[in-house]
Amino acid sequence: MDNLDPVREKITELTDRLTRYSYAYYQEDTSLVSDYEFDRLLKELEDLENRYPQFRLPYSPTQRVGGEPVRNFKTVYHTVPMLSLGNTYSREEVAEFDARLRKLTDQDFDYVCELKYDGLSISLSYKDGILVRALTRGDGVKGDDVTGNVKTIRSVPLRLARGGNYPDSFEIRGEVLMPRASFEELNRQREEIGETPFANTRNAASGSLKLQDPAQVARRRLDCFLYFLIGDSIEEKRHEKRLELASSWGFKTGRYHKRCAGLREVFEYMDYWEKERENLPFDIDGIVIKVNDTSLWPRLGTTAKSPRWAIAYKFKAKRALTRLNEITFQVGRTGAVTPVANLDPVSLGGTVVKRASLHNADIIKKMDVRIGDYVYVEKGGEVIPKITGVELSRREAGSRPFDFIGKCPECGTALVRKDGEAGHYCPNEENCPPQIKGKLEHFISRKAMDIDSLGEGKTEILYEKGLVRDVADFYDLRYARLLDLSNGVVSFKDKTVENILNGIARSKSRPFERVLYALGIRYVGEATAKVLARHFRDMPALMAASFDELREVEEVGDAIAGSIVEFFSRPQERRIVERLAAAGLRMEYEEMKSETLPLQDTVWVVSGTFSRSREEMKRLVEYFGGKMQSSLSGKTSHLLAGDRMGPEKLKKAQKLDIPLVSEAEFYTMIGGEPSASLFDGQADMPGRQQVPAAPALPVQGDLFDGE
Ligand code: IVH
């Protein structure tokens, strides 16, 4: 039997090291290592875990990228029911809340005010410092076990710092939310592939946490704030201190809470955040006021649904009343038809609103919105203002219910509604003008074929003039025809024409996956295009793939597979692809060559003695993309530590939390030890003065293929 102890030790060491790095990064906003180094260590750990799954630790950071998908979430009872909060929109009621509590208690007390995060609540259980379970609120009594998904949230510690004074077993509750930046990126991607964007960050967070595939959740970039520590064994009784305690164990509690002595300070906090909320990187929908002394909590008790020792003050959504003049319809690139309310301009939360989304036919029907009605427009957590109701008292006599259109407003084709979807589509993909224009614009966009010499304006002209009707037409454009356009209303100058043609010619060298993405197949975004390209290798193979073959590809679900099959079943699309191939576009996948150097973005100090001279070690650092520094500072990312390093350096490195890298580890990082001859060999060469030329460096691996 092999002795596997070293493997087990290596796995433990890597796991702990990565845990430390993540903690610093996500809780303390400091980077101890470069992204490159982090990813490299993670990959190393992943490989080892795959080979020796028996040694994988339950808190392994590899789970951050997503474990096994689940079919259905297990329902689990909460040890302590998850209550909700009584809430109010009025300051008077907050004052009543305070007066009620003062009457119920015979001692003075203070409050802790917190933000009311706009997400969904979660309960985390830890045993011996390891996250063992994450449950959603569900109905308050039992919730869904979403542990695998929650493990992908970087700010949730999978294991608490060793030696922390946390109980062996405890629960902590908080809110999972989606930061605005992640939300905008997610919606951008969804629109790109023709999916309906999420209305607000809360829906996006809750939709994400309910996905069955943790790998997909990992990409959603959720965050989690904790605000409620449960456990009788916790001696600390002040809520404020409990938050600090939780933070010291590694939880993200946010720095927004404040102890407030009385009502006046509570109101100050309320007013401050009502204005300041715009500047937070995430959405809040109010603030929460809690009695600080938790020993008063049981005495104050709970009502059926919520505790008496806390209340939520919710910010009023900004709302305005205005007249609905008209409902128009927008047709997108994928044929999706969106109703848009055209309003009498009204000012709302600092901007003038003229248009608002009406989502779909069902919502219009449910609200019974009619032309000429006075409607309420709200700007809450939503990106686009929405209509939330009708002021019936101002309805004009003789108004009639609104009939949703049956035909495409652009091309007159009868609209269709797909099973299970609320939206209407125009099926005339091949001839409906906004769909064609949308496809052309998508094709030339930066992430697709990146033909920046064209742009939306010029594309529109080419379309209107009949020069470009499908994406393959771009490659048939000729100098004379383009210059001819000068005779009309528009005038393309020599230089412009040359630019356009050069841009188009250059686009022929875009890799296959970009060509595939550029085709604009519904549901095939950038990432999916890459996966498909890598899997099928070339266009003919992809075009020939059956639904089942497509489904076998990781990340390809029914919707994507169906959409691809449907796309390539259309003779017109097949013809376009053939013409693109004939024009010289890439239809075969080529393995990406690594372009980054292994030490890119790292900053080094070299100290002590090595098997080579220190100068050589420094040159190696620089050669492989690292930066050299003469002494340790906050910028240093690694200390290359040889023998006989001074104790002062060591102390300083520890203080700054800079990882020490041994000579052997260093060689691993650069993909192997350079052969001795390179530095010491040829006696007649002054080799030490010069950085060796790249191709001559005999490193292992393919790190230099991109050079
Ligand atoms: S305390 C027993 N604190 O608001 C009381 N809740 O409307 C536990 N929420 O279900 C809740 N931020 O999902 C608390 N700082 C905060 C909160 C917060 C958001 C949510 C939570 C709760 C809901 C109640």
Side-chain angles (χ1 to χ4, degrees), residues 371-421:
I371 306 292
D373 274 353
Y374 275 79
V375 292
Y376 288 100
V377 192
E378 269 185 27
K379 217 156 83 176
E382 280 74 20
V383 222
I384 307 162
K386 63 173 184 187
I387 290 177
T388 53
V390 176
E391 181 49 62
L392 291 175
S393 68
R394 291 182 71 175
R395 177 165 279 173
E396 288 160 24
S399 77
R400 283 191 302 131
F402 182 77
D403 285 325
F404 203 84
I405 47 169
K407 289 192 179 137
C408 175
E410 303 279 349
C411 69
T413 307
L415 299 181
V416 293
R417 227 172 163 183
K418 298 200 175 149
D419 279 349
E421 289 186 20

Coordinates of all heavy atoms in Angstrom, one line a residue, residues 371-421:
I371 N -56.2 52.8 -22.0 CA -55.7 54.0 -22.5 C -56.5 55.2 -21.9 O -57.8 55.1 -21.9 CB -55.9 54.1 -24.1 CG1 -55.2 52.8 -24.7 CG2 -55.3 55.4 -24.7 CD1 -53.7 52.8 -24.6
G372 N -55.9 56.3 -21.5 CA -56.5 57.4 -20.9 C -56.6 57.3 -19.4 O -57.0 58.3 -18.8
D373 N -56.3 56.1 -18.8 CA -56.4 56.0 -17.4 C -55.2 56.8 -16.7 O -54.2 57.0 -17.3 CB -56.1 54.5 -17.0 CG -57.4 53.7 -17.0 OD1 -58.5 54.3 -17.2 OD2 -57.3 52.5 -16.9
Y374 N -55.5 57.2 -15.5 CA -54.4 57.7 -14.6 C -53.8 56.5 -13.9 O -54.6 55.8 -13.3 CB -54.9 58.8 -13.7 CG -54.9 60.1 -14.4 CD1 -56.0 60.5 -15.3 CD2 -53.9 61.0 -14.2 CE1 -56.0 61.6 -16.0 CE2 -53.8 62.2 -14.9 CZ -54.9 62.5 -15.8 OH -54.8 63.7 -16.5
V375 N -52.5 56.4 -14.0 CA -51.9 55.2 -13.5 C -50.8 55.6 -12.5 O -50.2 56.7 -12.6 CB -51.3 54.3 -14.6 CG1 -52.3 53.7 -15.5 CG2 -50.3 55.1 -15.5
Y376 N -50.5 54.7 -11.6 CA -49.4 54.9 -10.6 C -48.1 54.3 -11.2 O -48.1 53.2 -11.6 CB -49.8 54.2 -9.3 CG -50.9 55.0 -8.5 CD1 -52.2 54.5 -8.5 CD2 -50.6 56.2 -7.9 CE1 -53.2 55.2 -7.9 CE2 -51.6 56.9 -7.2 CZ -52.9 56.4 -7.3 OH -53.9 57.1 -6.6
V377 N -47.1 55.1 -11.2 CA -45.8 54.7 -11.6 C -44.9 54.7 -10.4 O -44.9 55.6 -9.6 CB -45.2 55.7 -12.6 CG1 -44.0 55.1 -13.3 CG2 -46.3 56.1 -13.6
E378 N -44.2 53.6 -10.3 CA -43.3 53.4 -9.1 C -41.9 53.1 -9.6 O -41.6 52.5 -10.6 CB -43.8 52.3 -8.3 CG -44.7 52.7 -7.2 CD -45.1 51.6 -6.3 OE1 -44.3 50.6 -6.1 OE2 -46.2 51.6 -5.7
K379 N -40.9 53.7 -8.8 CA -39.6 53.3 -9.0 C -39.1 52.8 -7.7 O -38.7 53.5 -6.8 CB -38.8 54.6 -9.4 CG -37.7 54.2 -10.4 CD -37.3 55.4 -11.2 CE -36.3 56.3 -10.6 NZ -35.8 57.4 -11.4
G380 N -39.1 51.5 -7.5 CA -38.6 50.9 -6.3 C -37.2 50.3 -6.6 O -36.4 51.0 -7.0
G381 N -37.1 49.0 -6.3 CA -35.8 48.4 -6.6 C -35.6 48.2 -8.1 O -34.6 47.8 -8.5
E382 N -36.7 48.4 -8.8 CA -36.6 48.1 -10.3 C -35.7 49.1 -11.1 O -35.6 50.2 -10.7 CB -38.0 48.2 -10.9 CG -38.8 46.9 -10.6 CD -39.3 46.8 -9.2 OE1 -39.4 47.9 -8.5 OE2 -39.6 45.7 -8.8
V383 N -35.2 48.6 -12.1 CA -34.4 49.4 -13.0 C -35.3 50.3 -13.8 O -35.0 51.5 -13.9 CB -33.6 48.5 -14.0 CG1 -32.2 49.1 -14.1 CG2 -33.6 47.1 -13.6
I384 N -36.3 49.7 -14.4 CA -37.2 50.5 -15.2 C -38.5 50.8 -14.4 O -39.0 49.9 -13.7 CB -37.6 49.7 -16.5 CG1 -36.4 49.2 -17.2 CG2 -38.5 50.5 -17.4 CD1 -36.6 48.0 -18.2
P385 N -39.0 52.0 -14.4 CA -40.2 52.3 -13.6 C -41.3 51.4 -14.1 O -41.4 51.0 -15.3 CB -40.5 53.7 -13.9 CG -39.5 54.2 -15.0 CD -38.5 53.1 -15.2
K386 N -42.2 51.0 -13.2 CA -43.3 50.2 -13.6 C -44.6 50.7 -13.1 O -44.7 51.6 -12.2 CB -43.1 48.8 -13.0 CG -43.1 48.7 -11.5 CD -43.1 47.3 -11.1 CE -43.2 47.2 -9.6 NZ -43.0 45.9 -9.0
I387 N -45.7 50.3 -13.8 CA -47.0 50.7 -13.5 C -47.6 49.8 -12.5 O -47.6 48.5 -12.7 CB -47.9 50.8 -14.7 CG1 -47.3 52.0 -15.5 CG2 -49.3 51.0 -14.4 CD1 -47.9 52.2 -16.8
T388 N -48.0 50.3 -11.3 CA -48.4 49.4 -10.3 C -49.9 49.4 -10.0 O -50.4 48.6 -9.3 CB -47.7 49.7 -8.9 OG1 -48.0 51.1 -8.7 CG2 -46.3 49.4 -9.0
G389 N -50.6 50.3 -10.6 CA -52.1 50.3 -10.4 C -52.7 51.4 -11.2 O -52.1 52.3 -11.8
V390 N -54.1 51.4 -11.2 CA -54.9 52.3 -11.9 C -55.7 53.1 -10.9 O -56.2 52.6 -9.9 CB -55.8 51.6 -12.9 CG1 -56.8 52.6 -13.6 CG2 -55.1 50.8 -13.9
E391 N -55.8 54.5 -11.0 CA -56.7 55.3 -10.2 C -58.1 55.3 -10.8 O -58.4 56.1 -11.7 CB -56.1 56.7 -10.1 CG -56.8 57.6 -9.2 CD -57.2 57.0 -7.8 OE1 -56.2 56.7 -7.1 OE2 -58.4 56.9 -7.5
L392 N -58.9 54.3 -10.3 CA -60.2 54.1 -11.0 C -61.1 55.4 -10.8 O -61.9 55.6 -11.7 CB -60.9 52.9 -10.4 CG -60.2 51.6 -10.7 CD1 -60.9 50.4 -10.0 CD2 -60.2 51.4 -12.2
S393 N -60.9 56.2 -9.8 CA -61.8 57.3 -9.6 C -61.6 58.3 -10.7 O -62.5 59.2 -10.9 CB -61.5 58.0 -8.2 OG -60.2 58.6 -8.3
R394 N -60.5 58.2 -11.4 CA -60.3 59.2 -12.5 C -60.5 58.6 -13.9 O -60.0 59.1 -14.9 CB -58.9 59.8 -12.4 CG -58.8 60.7 -11.2 CD -57.5 61.4 -11.0 NE -57.3 62.4 -12.0 CZ -56.2 63.2 -12.0 NH1 -55.2 63.0 -11.1 NH2 -56.0 64.1 -13.0
R395 N -61.1 57.4 -13.9 CA -61.3 56.7 -15.2 C -62.3 57.5 -16.0 O -63.4 57.8 -15.5 CB -61.7 55.3 -15.0 CG -62.0 54.6 -16.3 CD -62.0 53.1 -16.2 NE -60.7 52.5 -16.2 CZ -60.5 51.2 -15.9 NH1 -61.4 50.4 -15.6 NH2 -59.2 50.7 -15.9
E396 N -62.0 57.8 -17.3 CA -63.0 58.5 -18.2 C -64.1 57.5 -18.5 O -63.9 56.3 -18.7 CB -62.3 58.9 -19.5 CG -61.3 60.1 -19.2 CD -60.3 60.2 -20.3 OE1 -60.6 59.8 -21.5 OE2 -59.2 60.8 -20.1
A397 N -65.3 58.1 -18.7 CA -66.5 57.3 -19.1 C -66.2 56.8 -20.5 O -65.6 57.5 -21.3 CB -67.7 58.2 -19.0
G398 N -66.7 55.6 -20.7 CA -66.6 55.1 -22.1 C -65.3 54.5 -22.4 O -65.0 54.1 -23.6
S399 N -64.4 54.3 -21.5 CA -63.1 53.7 -21.8 C -63.3 52.2 -22.0 O -64.2 51.7 -21.4 CB -62.1 54.0 -20.7 OG -62.3 53.1 -19.6
R400 N -62.4 51.6 -22.7 CA -62.6 50.2 -23.0 C -61.4 49.4 -22.6 O -60.2 49.9 -22.7 CB -62.9 50.0 -24.5 CG -64.4 50.4 -24.8 CD -64.7 49.9 -26.2 NE -63.9 50.5 -27.2 CZ -63.3 49.8 -28.2 NH1 -63.5 48.5 -28.3 NH2 -62.5 50.4 -29.1
P401 N -61.5 48.1 -22.2 CA -60.4 47.3 -21.9 C -59.4 47.3 -23.0 O -59.8 47.3 -24.2 CB -61.0 45.9 -21.6 CG -62.4 46.2 -21.3 CD -62.8 47.4 -22.0
F402 N -58.1 47.2 -22.7 CA -57.1 47.2 -23.8 C -57.0 45.8 -24.4 O -56.9 44.8 -23.7 CB -55.8 47.6 -23.2 CG -54.7 47.7 -24.2 CD1 -54.7 48.8 -25.1 CD2 -53.8 46.7 -24.3 CE1 -53.7 48.9 -26.1 CE2 -52.8 46.8 -25.3 CZ -52.7 47.9 -26.2
D403 N -57.0 45.7 -25.7 CA -56.8 44.5 -26.4 C -55.4 44.4 -26.8 O -54.8 45.2 -27.5 CB -57.7 44.4 -27.6 CG -59.1 44.1 -27.3 OD1 -59.4 43.4 -26.3 OD2 -60.0 44.7 -28.0
F404 N -54.7 43.3 -26.3 CA -53.3 43.1 -26.7 C -53.3 42.8 -28.2 O -54.2 42.2 -28.8 CB -52.7 41.9 -26.0 CG -51.2 41.9 -25.9 CD1 -50.6 42.7 -24.9 CD2 -50.4 41.3 -26.8 CE1 -49.2 42.7 -24.8 CE2 -49.0 41.4 -26.7 CZ -48.4 42.1 -25.7
I405 N -52.3 43.3 -28.9 CA -52.2 43.1 -30.3 C -52.1 41.6 -30.7 O -51.5 40.8 -29.9 CB -51.0 43.9 -31.0 CG1 -49.8 43.6 -30.2 CG2 -51.4 45.3 -31.1 CD1 -48.5 44.1 -30.9
G406 N -52.6 41.3 -31.8 CA -52.5 39.9 -32.3 C -51.5 39.8 -33.4 O -51.0 38.7 -33.7
K407 N -51.1 40.9 -34.0 CA -50.2 40.9 -35.1 C -48.9 41.7 -34.8 O -49.0 42.7 -34.0 CB -50.8 41.4 -36.4 CG -51.8 40.5 -36.9 CD -52.2 41.0 -38.3 CE -53.3 40.0 -38.9 NZ -54.4 40.7 -39.5
C408 N -47.8 41.4 -35.4 CA -46.6 42.1 -35.1 C -46.7 43.5 -35.6 O -47.1 43.7 -36.8 CB -45.4 41.4 -35.9 SG -43.9 42.3 -35.7
P409 N -46.4 44.5 -34.8 CA -46.6 45.9 -35.2 C -45.6 46.3 -36.3 O -45.8 47.3 -37.0 CB -46.3 46.7 -33.9 CG -45.5 45.8 -33.1 CD -45.9 44.4 -33.4
E410 N -44.6 45.5 -36.6 CA -43.6 45.9 -37.5 C -43.8 45.2 -38.9 O -43.5 45.7 -39.9 CB -42.2 45.5 -37.0 CG -41.9 46.1 -35.7 CD -41.4 47.6 -35.9 OE1 -41.1 48.0 -37.0 OE2 -41.3 48.3 -34.8
C411 N -44.3 43.9 -38.8 CA -44.4 43.2 -40.1 C -45.7 42.5 -40.3 O -46.0 41.9 -41.4 CB -43.3 42.1 -40.2 SG -43.5 40.7 -39.0
G412 N -46.6 42.6 -39.3 CA -48.0 42.2 -39.5 C -48.2 40.7 -39.4 O -49.3 40.2 -39.5
T413 N -47.1 39.9 -39.0 CA -47.3 38.5 -38.8 C -48.0 38.2 -37.5 O -47.9 38.9 -36.6 CB -45.9 37.8 -38.7 OG1 -45.1 38.2 -39.9 CG2 -45.9 36.3 -38.7
A414 N -48.9 37.2 -37.6 CA -49.6 36.8 -36.3 C -48.6 36.4 -35.2 O -47.7 35.6 -35.5 CB -50.6 35.7 -36.6
L415 N -48.8 37.0 -34.0 CA -47.9 36.7 -32.9 C -48.2 35.3 -32.3 O -49.3 34.8 -32.4 CB -48.1 37.8 -31.8 CG -47.7 39.2 -32.2 CD1 -47.9 40.1 -31.0 CD2 -46.3 39.3 -32.8
V416 N -47.2 34.7 -31.7 CA -47.4 33.5 -31.1 C -47.0 33.6 -29.6 O -46.2 34.5 -29.2 CB -46.6 32.3 -31.7 CG1 -47.0 32.0 -33.1 CG2 -45.1 32.7 -31.7
R417 N -47.5 32.6 -28.8 CA -47.2 32.6 -27.4 C -46.7 31.2 -27.1 O -47.4 30.2 -27.4 CB -48.4 32.9 -26.6 CG -48.2 33.9 -25.6 CD -49.5 34.2 -25.0 NE -49.2 34.9 -23.7 CZ -50.1 35.3 -22.9 NH1 -51.4 35.1 -23.1 NH2 -49.8 35.9 -21.7
K418 N -45.4 31.1 -26.6 CA -44.9 29.8 -26.4 C -45.5 29.2 -25.1 O -45.8 30.0 -24.1 CB -43.4 29.8 -26.3 CG -42.9 30.3 -27.7 CD -41.4 29.9 -27.9 CE -41.0 30.3 -29.3 NZ -39.7 30.6 -29.5
D419 N -45.5 27.9 -25.0 CA -46.0 27.2 -23.8 C -45.3 27.7 -22.6 O -44.1 27.8 -22.6 CB -45.9 25.7 -23.9 CG -47.0 25.1 -24.7 OD1 -47.9 25.9 -25.0 OD2 -46.9 24.0 -25.1
G420 N -46.0 28.0 -21.5 CA -45.4 28.4 -20.3 C -44.7 29.7 -20.2 O -44.1 30.1 -19.2
E421 N -44.8 30.5 -21.3 CA -44.2 31.8 -21.3 C -45.3 32.9 -21.4 O -46.3 32.7 -22.0 CB -43.3 32.0 -22.5 CG -42.0 31.2 -22.3 CD -40.9 31.4 -23.3 OE1 -41.0 32.5 -24.0 OE2 -40.1 30.6 -23.5

